[in-house]
């Protein structure tokens, strides 16, 4: 039996701008996320990926459509209630890491726990535990400026998962990284989905990410136009070949 979704978006429409500049960035998109899966949202530039991700993350409110987070409909929630839902269930990862430059790796993770009301020794221990888990035990006291791009993104991943959210949303997490670091971050996100049973959604252009996905959702011109799922038992790298073959036959 399939698992209950942690996030459901049904027929989402989003208009941006106003007057003559009004753009329908998302035109009726539906998407469901379940625990334990890494889903990629892929599409050309301007297709609405970031807008849809912002709606799924309760950062933007949809013009119409229904969004349910852990069974709670976001319709009619106040900005404060939306922020609470976001803090309770979601972690975010950005292309440019968004770390505080004047805080150490450990402090950057601790502050994410602090805003969720987790303080003191328990929070410090938890921050250290997640940084160790992402392979940064030797970088706890380093400042972002002294870390490589890959290390900074791993701090950002640690920060996103420190409070054990059921949903992790990532916007172009590998775009600023070289090949090796891009693969390391995707392997980490895939492991988080599997081992920690979270639902991870990454918006990406990056074909290197394909081999880590359980599911690839395609968006074009504000609409979901297709979905591919990794067949049971298929090794990770083979999904990339499968996708290439499908495109060649399309
Ligand atoms: N604030 C805004 N006002 C008006 N139009 C906007 C605004 N933000 C985005 N758009 C338009 O909405 C559409 C979707 O943009 P969005 O950034 O979601 O696409 P994207 O797929 O994430 O693109 P990229 O891959 O280039 O980041 C585009 O046509 C964009 O120009």
């Amino acid at each position: 039996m399939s698992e209950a979704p942690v996030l459901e978006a049904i027929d989402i429409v989003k208009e941006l701008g106003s007057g003559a500049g009004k753009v329908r960035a998302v035109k009726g998109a539906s998407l469901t996320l379940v625990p334990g899966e890494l889903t990629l949202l892929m599409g050309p530039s301007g297709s609405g990926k970031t807008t849809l991700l912002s709606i799924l993350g309760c950062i933007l409110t949809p013009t119409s459509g229904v969004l349910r987070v852990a069974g709670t409909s976001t319709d009619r929630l106040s900005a404060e209630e939306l922020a609470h839902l976001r803090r309770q269930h979601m972690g975010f990862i950005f292309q440019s890491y968004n770390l505080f430059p004047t805080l150490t790796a450990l402090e950057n993770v601790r502050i994410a726990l602090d805003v969720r009301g987790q303080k003191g020794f328990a929070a410090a221990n938890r921050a250290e535990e997640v940084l160790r888990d992402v392979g940064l035990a030797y970088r706890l006291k380093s400042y972002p400026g002294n870390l490589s791009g890959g290390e900074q993104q791993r701090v950002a991943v640690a920060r996103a998962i420190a409070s054990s959210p059921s949903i992790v949303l990532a916007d172009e997490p590998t775009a600023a990284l070289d090949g090796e670091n891009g693969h390391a971050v995707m392997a980490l996100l895939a492991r988080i989905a599997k081992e920690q049973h979270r639902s991870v959604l990454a918006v990406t252009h990056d074909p290197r990410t394909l081999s880590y996905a359980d599911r690839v959702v395609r968006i074009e011109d504000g609409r979901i136009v297709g979905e591919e799922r990794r067949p049971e038992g298929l090794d990770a790298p083979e999904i990339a070949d499968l996708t290439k073959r499908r495109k060649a036959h399309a």
Side-chain angles (χ1 to χ4, degrees):
M1 202 175 78
S2 63
E3 292 210 52
V6 286
L7 193 147
E8 287 173 280
I10 303 162
D11 212 11
I12 298 290
V13 171
K14 182 64 183 177
E15 290 175 349
L16 295 168
S18 59
K22 194 187 265 187
V23 170
R24 193 167 267 227
V26 179
K27 301 175 180 170
S30 299
L31 184 65
T32 297
L33 301 180
V34 297
E37 282 192 353
L38 170 58
T39 302
L40 301 182
L41 180 62
M42 302 188 91
S45 186
S47 58
K49 300 182 297 295
T50 299
T51 307
L52 182 58
L53 189 78
S54 304
I55 290 169
L56 301 180
C58 304
I59 294 166
L60 284 178
T61 51
T63 305
S64 65
V66 174
L67 179 68
R68 284 193 209 103
V69 178
T72 301
S73 174
T74 60
D75 192 25
R76 304 209 186 100
L77 293 187
S78 66
E80 203 173 305
E81 288 166 329
L82 278 175
H84 180 72
L85 199 66
R86 202 163 53 224
R87 281 197 298 270
Q88 199 181 2
H89 294 287
M90 295 181 187
F92 293 89
I93 298 161
F94 305 93
Q95 173 178 343
S96 49
Y97 326 130
N98 291 11
L99 301 176
F100 290 104
T102 54
L103 300 181
T104 64
L106 193 65
E107 288 163 346
N108 264 285
V109 178
R110 270 188 78 172
I111 204 162
L113 293 168
D114 194 274
V115 297
R116 288 169 171 82
Q118 299 172 39
K119 299 173 195 284
F121 284 124
N125 287 341
R126 173 66 184 155
E128 189 170 330
E129 180 187 36
V130 283
L131 281 165
R132 286 184 190 284
D133 190 40
V134 301
L136 291 175
Y138 63 105
R139 290 298 209 184
L140 301 178
K141 296 200 171 140
S142 299
Y143 289 91
N146 295 326
L147 298 175
S148 71
E151 288 172 332
Q152 288 185 65
Q153 193 60 303
R154 281 189 283 150
V155 175
V157 172
R159 180 183 57 184
I161 61 170
S163 63
S164 303
S166 47
I167 303 160
V168 176
L169 300 177
D171 195 1
E172 300 277 4
T174 60
L177 302 176
D178 64 21
E180 195 180 329
N181 283 306
H183 281 292
V185 165
M186 287 313 297
L188 182 58
L189 293 178
R191 180 163 72 78
I192 286 165
K194 286 280 158 313
E195 291 179 10
Q196 302 177 6
H197 210 55
R198 300 185 206 287
S199 183
V200 182
L201 175 71
V203 158
T204 181
H205 278 112
D206 183 351
R208 295 173 303 179
T209 60
L210 275 168
S211 58
Y212 298 94
D214 296 298
R215 188 162 72 121
V216 180
V217 175
R218 306 256 173 205
I219 184 169
E220 278 176 28
D221 192 25
R223 295 187 176 85
I224 305 291
V225 294
E227 178 173 326
E228 296 147 59
R229 180 171 281 283
R230 182 207 309 240
E232 287 288 324
L234 199 67
D235 287 341
E238 292 181 76
I239 194 171
D241 296 332
L242 187 74
T243 305
K244 260 190 236 150
R245 283 205 299 277
R246 282 197 181 146
K247 276 178 99 176
H249 289 295

